[in-house]
Amino acid sequence: MNDTEMNGVTEMNGIAEMNGTAEMNGQREEVKMNGDAHSPTHDIFDGLNGLSGLNGLNGLDGSDRVATLEKRVQKQEDEILVLQSALRDILRRLQIQEMESSHNKSSLISPNSTVHMSNGKRTTVTTMPPRNRRSTGPPIRVTNSTSPRSSNGSDSVYAPSTPSQRDSSRLTPDPPSRRKASTPQQQQQTPTLTKWASNITVSSGDSQPSLSSKEAAYNTEEGVLRIYIKGRALHFYAPTNFDHAAIHTNPLSKQRLKLEWVYGYRGKDCRSNVHFLPTGEIVYFLASTVVLYNPDEQTQRHYLGHTDDVKCLAVHPDRITIATGQAAGHDRREGRAHVRVWSSVNLNTLRIIGIGSFERAIGCLTFSKTDGGSLLAVVDESNEHTLSVWSWERGQRVGEPARNVADPVLAADFHPMDDNVIVTCGKNHLFFWNLEATGTLTKKVAIFEKHDKPKYVLCFAFAFNGDVVTGDSNGNILVWPRGTFKVAQCIANAHDGGIFSLCVLKDGTLLSGGGKDRRIVAWDMAYQRTGLEAELRETVGPVRTLSQGKGSMILVGTTRNCIMQGTLDLNFSPLVQGHTDELWGLAVHPHQLQFVTCGFDSHLYLWDVLSRTAVRCMDVGEQSQCVTYHPNGDLIAIGTTKGKWLLMDMVEQKVIMEENAGSEIISCIEFSPDGRLLAVASHDNAIYVYQGDEASHRYSRLGRCQGHTSFVTHLDWSEDSTFLQSNSGDHELLFWNGAQLRQVPDASSMRDTRWATQHCTLSFRSSGVWPDGADGTDVNTCDAHGDILASGDDFGKVNLFHYPAAQPKSPCYSYPGHSSHVTCVRFLHDGARLISVGGKDTAVMQWSIVS
């Protein structure tokens, strides 16, 4: 017998003796490999010795003594699991060595095995094709991480790849069948377990491959799934009739998502981002999505090539080609700030410019005018606010960038008549740049002379004669004749407060849009008032950008994220409406194709899915965190950020009840399926339960459920309106009797409970939504309908799984569009559409379910 066999037998004998002691204690065993340098046997001996120290229990009565012993036994469960796992691993290694000595080497290696040589020792690890590590990358359908990138926004597939596509540094072992024990008794006592070892590291050095001790495992005999979130072991109980084979083969969903509609617009902090195209479409952006909206046909198309927030937009002189710039984001390959040039006809990306050349985000973009648009000027949001010029068709920079623009730049544009002249404005400056033949950018500073120099030059436009017309924070309009850098004319106090936008219409009329006064004023070609002006309603906010629309129509983007259309003779009506602050609340109507959203802007929007418009907007007076519909569809409950929840009658459009549930954030709120009870979960770790009176629509508090050690994050009612399941910030799954306000301590007794919803992200049926290496906050929300499950994550992705998603790291389709954490997803009552809301991107997205 060689040294390896001798060592294996010695270790096996020692562990077998300890195994007898473990079996006497009646402990459940699981396969668990330990890759740490510290030997698990020392920890086990220490734990077993602790059991023998019973002298400290003499002063306790019988029940306390039993409880203390039960706690100590529970603490040693993991050590016993390690012990049993080590024993089976030794037996496996001995069996392999015996087989090697009697058979040809080629017959020992399965097609899915990897052989490792270390210090002359041979180890075979049986693996299945690995699952790709979750990517926050581009919207392409892939089977490995090196597939070419598409720009049409198709779905990404995160599924097991083929052996030829596997990552050479990570392997996932095939879920093994029950391993042979050394004796029939051991076979009878050893449960069948499955492991997902996403962190088996294969190296070519001297180190042996090892399994982490914190891997997902499934006990088929007891129907218990164990996963780890941030180092914490979580145990979920499978339903009694669950097909255990399905834990190995969770398929991809047969359905897909298609982005149907985007509600909202980004005008709060972006400029010059609403343009009318010859196709009759209005182009603007929100989150990482560029929207092409045809108001006459009530249709939208979407460019989904970006990986994070789109910050600026420019239209080529041909009115077909569009350039958009984004902020740096999550994606490793294309997450850096860059510019995409694409066609508005087929939405194909023509050129990606400047990956690695820009910092933070792209602030301004403009195409050249006099040469047919061959050049593209770009200003980033680095500390130097660098200005650079690119030949976009070749993807090459022209000359060196100008790095001496110290103050923020708010606008940039090529002069429409003078070759290679670029104008920029912003804080404390108005600059005229000239692009020399050598590629050098030279700067001329505007001279204000006797006129007060404003703190901000907020906008500018080019008149038909080539004059540069500027609007500033003092409310003044200044005229700078073509070819000069001095003020020729000043219109003082044109607006009360800053002038946010200037636009020259097709007939030469100059429009100015005010911020504080919300007025739009018309000026003739001699810069005299025409007498036409309009004032926007306070609810839509100040003017952010002005643009020529269809015919004589004017398009107005506002700081409250609305797009208005109209003329100065007639009223302006909203085309696009949206939230203005962080968005969390989403609830779907139980019977109609409508849904409501609420957020930190204190507004509640009611949206209609078929008309794709905001039916109603109400100010609830409080920053809102969550919302839910009563089963009758007439009432909604809103949870706020200050511990208050509101009951609103949607028919009467008024708040009929206010109640405090603690003083902290109401994180989630849910009516029971029969509508009699209302569960209100708070950041004070408690769930408050209220009982309603059907006649008066008043709810009185029954009490609260206490037991969580962190704030409650998700809630689900059972179909019979009796039980609750809840998740918390420290990754707990607890069960409650909602009417009796008591925790159900035996989680296994709830394994066959049928739940009315699937909002808990930590449960047996949703455990597969968590990606490899999840820290417990990556997945914010989930919802199920039929055989599909949707989730939203911190990387701006909406993911679609087959339901139940019980296989750890289940394969899914992943969809871009949001640029911030996706805070809530909900299926409509008919299951034909999914709604998702972003956090700080304030986007509401409507997805259709397609086969």
Side-chain angles (χ1 to χ4, degrees):
M1 185 179 292
N2 56 32
D3 293 341
T4 303
E5 293 171 335
M6 288 288 290
N7 293 335
V9 171
T10 302
E11 186 175 354
M12 180 186 69
N13 292 336
I15 294 178
E17 294 175 2
M18 294 174 59
N19 187 41
T21 304
E23 289 175 352
M24 287 170 54
N25 287 291
Q27 296 298 308
R28 179 166 52 84
E29 49 189 336
E30 293 187 53
V31 176
K32 185 173 181 182
M33 299 296 292
N34 192 334
D36 299 335
H38 181 67
S39 172
T41 57
H42 295 302
D43 295 334
I44 296 168
F45 275 126
D46 293 341
L48 293 176
N49 291 336
L51 273 182
S52 62
L54 303 178
N55 294 332
L57 304 179
N58 293 335
L60 302 176
D61 58 24
S63 60
D64 291 340
R65 182 177 302 181
V66 170
T68 304
L69 287 173
E70 286 178 349
K71 289 181 180 179
R72 293 188 181 182
V73 170
Q74 184 67 29
K75 289 180 181 178
Q76 297 177 29
E77 182 180 8
D78 283 346
E79 285 81 357
I80 298 300
L81 300 181
V82 174
L83 171 68
Q84 300 298 334
S85 176
L87 173 62
R88 282 188 292 275
D89 185 56
I90 292 171
L91 293 174
R92 181 181 61 80
R93 294 185 184 184
L94 288 175
Q95 184 180 18
I96 291 174
Q97 290 185 357
E98 290 174 0
M99 293 174 67
E100 286 179 341
S101 64
S102 57
H103 297 283
N104 191 294
K105 294 181 180 179
S106 62
S107 65
L108 299 180
I109 306 173
S110 68
N112 291 330
S113 298
T114 303
V115 179
H116 308 273
M117 298 299 297
S118 177
N119 297 330
K121 299 178 183 179
R122 179 188 182 95
T123 304
T124 304
V125 178
T126 303
T127 65
M128 71 176 182
R131 207 169 277 112
N132 284 326
R133 183 175 180 85
R134 289 181 60 87
S135 168
T136 58
I140 53 175
R141 185 176 180 178
V142 298
T143 51
N144 62 37
S145 60
T146 58
S147 298
R149 174 149 172 68
S150 167
S151 62
N152 60 2
S154 59
D155 45 338
S156 303
V157 181
Y158 297 100
S161 60
T162 63
S164 63
Q165 296 165 337
R166 67 184 54 177
D167 186 336
S168 61
S169 64
R170 316 260 317 168
L171 291 175
T172 306
D174 201 7
S177 60
R178 182 183 304 180
R179 295 190 175 97
K180 293 183 179 180
S182 58
T183 65
Q185 290 79 9
Q186 284 181 332
Q187 284 186 349
Q188 208 168 24
Q189 296 171 357
T190 303
T192 304
L193 295 108
T194 298
K195 302 189 73 177
W196 292 263
S198 61
N199 48 1
I200 298 181
T201 302
V202 180
S203 62
S204 58
D206 295 334
S207 61
Q208 287 278 15
S210 62
L211 287 168
S212 168
S213 61
K214 294 187 177 179
E215 301 155 3
Y218 182 69
N219 185 319
T220 57
E221 289 189 1
E222 297 187 9
V224 179
L225 173 66
R226 183 193 64 209
I227 67 172
Y228 284 87
I229 299 292
K230 205 173 181 179
R232 177 172 183 169
L234 306 177
H235 295 84
F236 303 132
Y237 291 87
T240 303
N241 60 354
F242 181 73
D243 180 9
H244 300 304
I247 203 76
H248 313 311
T249 57
N250 196 35
L252 278 166
S253 170
K254 295 180 181 179
Q255 287 80 27
R256 308 285 182 85
L257 295 180
K258 180 180 179 181
L259 184 57
E260 187 175 77
W261 204 262
V262 176
Y263 300 91
Y265 153 74
R266 184 167 183 170
K268 183 177 180 180
D269 57 353
C270 294
R271 303 164 186 272
S272 303
N273 58 353
V274 178
H275 297 272
F276 185 77
L277 302 180
T279 57
E281 295 172 308
I282 301 169
V283 59
Y284 57 94
F285 56 77
L286 178 65
S288 64
T289 304
V290 185
V291 181
L292 295 96
Y293 169 44
N294 189 319
D296 294 334
E297 300 178 3
Q298 197 64 12
T299 59
Q300 279 188 359
R301 296 187 296 143
H302 308 98
Y303 177 74
L304 296 169
H306 286 282
T307 59
D308 211 272
D309 281 300
V310 180
K311 297 294 292 294
C312 54
L313 182 152
V315 178
H316 193 274
D318 64 11
R319 310 298 294 172
I320 294 174
T321 306
I322 296 175
T324 43
Q326 77 161 63
H330 301 288
D331 188 80
R332 293 182 179 179
R333 292 182 296 121
E334 296 180 1
R336 291 174 286 182
H338 66 273
V339 177
R340 289 178 173 268
V341 183
W342 48 280
S343 170
S344 63
V345 176
N346 53 22
L347 304 182
N348 286 339
T349 300
L350 305 176
R351 183 68 64 184
I352 301 175
I353 296 174
I355 292 182
S357 299
F358 306 118
E359 295 182 27
R360 296 181 184 168
I362 307 299
C364 303
L365 285 173
T366 178
F367 284 101
S368 57
K369 309 296 192 300
T370 59
D371 60 356
S374 64
L375 299 179
L376 181 69
V378 184
V379 180
D380 69 10
E381 294 185 358
S382 63
N383 291 334
E384 297 82 12
H385 302 281
T386 303
L387 169 66
S388 57
V389 179
W390 298 74
S391 174
W392 67 266
E393 292 175 301
R394 299 198 306 266
Q396 297 177 351
R397 188 171 61 202
V398 178
E400 291 298 316
R403 300 184 181 276
N404 59 344
V405 184
D407 292 313
V409 178
L410 301 180
D413 201 359
F414 275 94
H415 199 287
M417 298 180 181
D418 296 336
D419 293 341
N420 301 327
V421 173
I422 304 171
V423 181
T424 64
C425 72
K427 183 179 180 180
N428 295 321
H429 78 271
L430 174 66
F431 294 154
F432 298 86
W433 302 84
N434 188 61
L435 180 63
E436 307 289 349
T438 59
T440 304
L441 284 165
T442 58
K443 178 179 66 176
K444 297 292 185 180
V445 180
I447 302 173
F448 288 85
E449 294 183 327
K450 62 181 179 179
H451 304 285
D452 292 337
K453 183 177 181 180
K455 184 174 183 180
Y456 285 92
V457 178
L458 295 172
C459 57
F460 66 87
F462 296 102
F464 276 11
N465 61 1
D467 290 349
V468 177
V469 184
T470 63
D472 58 42
S473 55
N474 294 334
N476 301 331
I477 294 177
L478 303 180
V479 180
W480 312 74
R482 179 183 175 185
T484 66
F485 314 115
K486 296 182 179 180
V487 177
Q489 186 175 347
C490 173
I491 307 172
N493 301 317
H495 284 268
D496 181 13
I499 300 174
F500 282 8
S501 182
L502 292 171
C503 174
V504 177
L505 301 180
K506 292 181 291 186
D507 61 2
T509 301
L510 173 69
L511 296 180
S512 60
K516 183 179 179 180
D517 60 13
R518 305 189 309 279
R519 290 188 302 126
I520 302 172
V521 181
W523 311 81
D524 61 22
M525 299 181 69
Y527 310 113
Q528 302 297 317
R529 292 178 185 267
T530 65
L532 294 176
E533 65 177 68
E535 183 176 344
L536 298 181
R537 300 191 311 270
E538 185 177 359
T539 54
V540 301
V543 176
R544 173 59 76 193
T545 185
L546 296 168
S547 179
Q548 174 77 64
K550 183 178 181 180
S552 61
M553 290 291 182
I554 301 169
L555 298 175
V556 184
T558 75
T559 60
R560 291 187 180 271
N561 294 348
C562 295
I563 298 178
M564 313 292 290
Q565 179 179 259
T567 65
L568 297 182
D569 297 323
L570 304 174
N571 292 330
F572 285 85
S573 58
L575 290 178
V576 178
Q577 293 176 271
H579 286 276
T580 59
D581 208 341
E582 194 164 345
L583 186 57
W584 283 87
L586 167 66
V588 297
H589 196 285
H591 314 302
Q592 300 177 11
L593 296 179
Q594 294 181 338
F595 62 94
V596 293
T597 57
C598 60
F600 290 179
D601 59 2
S602 303
H603 284 88
L604 177 82
Y605 275 92
L606 173 64
W607 308 91
D608 185 80
V609 170
L610 297 182
S611 65
R612 297 161 181 171
T613 57
V615 178
R616 196 174 301 149
C617 177
M618 293 166 281
D619 188 349
V620 298
E622 298 273 355
Q623 288 190 338
S624 305
Q625 182 77 24
C626 53
V627 63
T628 187
Y629 262 102
H630 189 278
N632 66 14
D634 294 336
L635 303 176
I636 63 169
I638 304 170
T640 72
T641 60
K642 295 183 179 180
K644 181 190 296 183
W645 65 270
L646 314 173
L647 189 65
M648 178 174 287
D649 188 324
M650 294 300 288
V651 178
E652 300 292 335
Q653 302 181 33
K654 64 179 182 180
V655 175
I656 60 176
M657 179 180 173
E658 295 184 8
E659 183 77 16
N660 286 317
S663 59
E664 300 190 36
I665 296 173
I666 304 298
S667 51
C668 49
I669 187 168
E670 296 288 345
F671 282 104
S672 61
D674 61 9
R676 293 186 306 105
L677 300 176
L678 175 67
V680 181
S682 171
H683 269 224
D684 64 6
N685 307 351
I687 301 172
Y688 298 83
V689 180
Y690 295 80
Q691 186 172 24
D693 179 80
E694 187 173 351
S696 64
H697 291 164
R698 304 290 296 182
Y699 280 76
S700 57
R701 184 190 293 187
L702 289 179
R704 59 181 179 178
C705 302
Q706 290 184 297
H708 277 295
T709 55
S710 183
F711 58 91
V712 183
T713 58
H714 303 90
L715 283 176
D716 290 304
W717 280 99
S718 61
E719 289 184 354
D720 61 6
S721 301
T722 301
F723 296 102
L724 282 164
Q725 67 174 357
S726 57
N727 291 153
S728 63
D730 58 354
H731 326 309
E732 288 181 318
L733 172 63
L734 298 185
F735 300 94
W736 315 85
N737 187 308
Q740 298 178 1
L741 306 176
R742 292 181 179 178
Q743 183 180 347
V744 180
D746 183 9
S748 63
S749 66
M750 303 296 294
R751 68 195 318 157
D752 292 322
T753 303
R754 298 176 64 88
W755 299 101
T757 56
Q758 181 60 69
H759 298 163
C760 283
T761 58
L762 289 170
S763 69
F764 178 80
R765 293 173 177 82
S766 61
S767 57
V769 305
W770 292 91
D772 190 20
D775 67 356
T777 63
D778 295 328
V779 180
N780 303 310
T781 177
C782 71
D783 192 30
H785 189 281
D787 61 350
I788 53 177
L789 174 74
S791 73
D793 60 33
D794 269 357
F795 312 109
K797 297 296 189 295
V798 176
N799 308 298
L800 194 67
F801 299 82
H802 181 269
Y803 184 70
Q807 180 186 9
K809 299 180 287 293
S810 293
C812 69
Y813 294 106
S814 188
Y815 299 87
H818 290 283
S819 59
S820 178
H821 45 289
V822 180
T823 54
C824 196
V825 294
R826 293 291 183 265
F827 288 98
L828 293 180
H829 74 91
D830 61 354
R833 291 176 177 86
L834 176 77
I835 308 299
S836 64
V837 297
K840 294 187 176 180
D841 65 22
T842 71
V844 180
M845 297 192 178
Q846 179 176 309
W847 309 79
S848 60
I849 312 296
V850 296
S851 299

